Amino acid sequence: MSDAADRHAARRHQHRSVALRPMRQLLCDLKMPSSEDDEARRRLADNAQAIMAVCQNGLGALGHLLANSSPVIEDGTVGADSIEALGWLMAELGDLAAHCMVLAAECRRTD
């Protein structure tokens, strides 16, 4: 295997470690404010909902960019590593948006 192929394989392996979903784990490890702290819960819910909206809009924009950039992807102007990195980013943003929706709902739930 050539040196360039070895470097490419190492980069691919490094990207595969992203599959551990670190953002999901980070968000799951956050502590929920106590039910008595209504202001903190409302603020957390509002911020989580805003983050979810930003992630969804950004993912939609990335999807449009990828769909319209197929000619430069096909001719190799944009490398497969870039597309793979965008895929991992989109997966993490999707996880973030989904968890933010759950977090917002939990914060707004009254016991």
Side-chain angles (χ1 to χ4, degrees), residues 73-86:
I73 293 169
E74 287 177 4
D75 72 9
T77 304
V78 174
D81 289 348
S82 297
I83 302 306
E84 181 183 9
L86 280 173

Side-chain angles (χ1 to χ4, degrees), residues 1 5 11 13 31 42 52 59 64 67-68 79-80 86 93 98:
M1 192 180 273
R11 264 197 321 260
H13 178 70
K31 289 191 176 185
R42 183 198 58 76
M52 180 187 63
L59 285 170
H64 284 285
N68 290 310
L86 280 173
L93 289 174

Side-chain angles (χ1 to χ4, degrees), residues 20 28-29 31 50-51 60 68 70-71 73 75 79 91-92 99-100 107:
L20 301 174
C28 288
D29 290 343
K31 289 191 176 185
I51 290 168
N68 290 310
S70 61
I73 293 169
D75 72 9
E92 285 295 305
H99 194 79
C100 283
C107 287

Side-chain angles (χ1 to χ4, degrees), residues 15-41:
H15 289 301
R16 295 290 184 244
S17 66
V18 175
L20 301 174
R21 304 289 197 208
M23 190 170 310
R24 180 184 293 182
Q25 188 59 51
L26 170 73
L27 291 171
C28 288
D29 290 343
L30 289 175
K31 289 191 176 185
M32 178 71 68
S34 69
S35 58
E36 295 86 38
D37 195 351
D38 289 335
E39 179 61 25
R41 290 174 73 92

